[in-house]
Amino acid sequence: MSQLREEEIVFNIIYVRGTVAELLPLLRNLLSHSVCQYRLVSNHCTAAEEQLLSAEAATSKRLHFHNLGADQILQHHEALHRLMDYDDGPCFAFMDSDIFATGPFVSQFVEALQEHDGVFTGLPIWHEADDGVMPAEFQIAGGRFYKSHNGLTLGLTYCAIYKKEPLQAYMHRSGMDLGRYYWG
């Protein structure tokens, strides 16, 4: 992949039913700290919420609206898989709708992608760093755990950018996807 530019990145922000009015204002914060694009994604939102998302998307060339077309709220990994199939860019980027930035953040992702196939962040602010390490006795690798007890990087699905080709190749080769897994 050639040098990725920040304005080429499209972050998929996933909104679920009942959250749009409260969380959509956080988008202004993200727009002010980046030059990338954002796709406002409805995961079974109400018609009124979808209208809010669509109207917001119409306010900027950097915003886009997408409806997942689900007849129920999809689990997070299911929504991500649909979006990965929909997205045609060199990267697959996404974040939860309750994320905000404290300053410019996308350039750090772009820089890290020069040496890595994916970068992620977004550990909830109430967690300590050690809360992200999955204890040896835990059976499910997912949620807040970004490292295993023995130091293996697991990743997070709160906010991430992955180079699409290596991610898809790994998923095909391993049979794993972005869902939760029993640790064996």
Side-chain angles (χ1 to χ4, degrees):
M1 181 166 76
S2 62
Q3 174 69 29
L4 182 66
R5 294 187 344 243
E6 187 174 331
E7 54 274 358
E8 294 175 305
I9 296 171
V10 180
F11 271 104
N12 293 282
I13 302 179
I14 303 167
Y15 294 88
V16 296
R17 179 181 290 258
T19 66
V20 174
E22 291 80 18
L23 297 177
L24 190 57
L26 295 177
L27 177 64
R28 289 284 156 216
N29 165 268
L30 297 172
L31 286 165
S32 70
H33 290 299
S34 68
V35 296
C36 63
Q37 300 177 57
Y38 296 92
R39 183 177 294 121
L40 312 180
V41 179
S42 169
N43 184 359
H44 195 57
C45 292
T46 66
E49 288 175 317
E50 288 185 354
Q51 178 57 38
L52 281 173
L53 292 171
S54 181
E56 186 67 29
T59 67
S60 171
K61 291 181 180 182
R62 293 174 50 206
L63 300 176
H64 315 279
F65 172 72
H66 180 68
N67 183 340
L68 288 173
D71 59 2
Q72 63 183 3
I73 294 175
L74 298 174
Q75 290 187 24
H76 191 55
H77 71 278
E78 293 172 324
L80 292 176
H81 293 150
R82 284 194 187 188
L83 288 167
M84 190 181 332
D85 291 342
Y86 177 77
D87 205 314
D88 61 357
C91 294
F92 179 53
F94 54 86
M95 67 173 61
D96 286 356
S97 57
D98 62 349
I99 290 181
F100 63 93
T102 58
F105 64 99
V106 181
S107 61
Q108 294 170 341
F109 277 115
V110 170
E111 186 177 317
L113 284 169
Q114 295 307 305
E115 296 183 29
H116 305 282
D117 289 336
V119 292
F120 55 87
T121 188
L123 195 60
I125 59 174
W126 57 85
H127 286 279
E128 299 294 328
D130 288 344
D131 290 339
V133 178
M134 188 176 81
E137 66 274 7
F138 271 50
Q139 297 296 310
I140 297 178
R144 71 179 191 267
F145 302 124
Y146 59 87
K147 280 206 181 283
S148 68
H149 67 282
N150 57 358
L152 181 67
T153 299
L154 302 172
L156 294 171
T157 61
Y158 299 117
C159 179
I161 301 178
Y162 290 96
K163 292 178 184 173
K164 199 167 177 184
E165 284 184 21
L167 176 62
Q168 290 174 322
Y170 176 79
M171 289 169 60
H172 178 74
R173 199 172 53 247
S174 69
M176 294 177 70
D177 59 22
L178 297 170
R180 292 179 180 204
Y181 285 90
Y182 285 99
W183 191 260

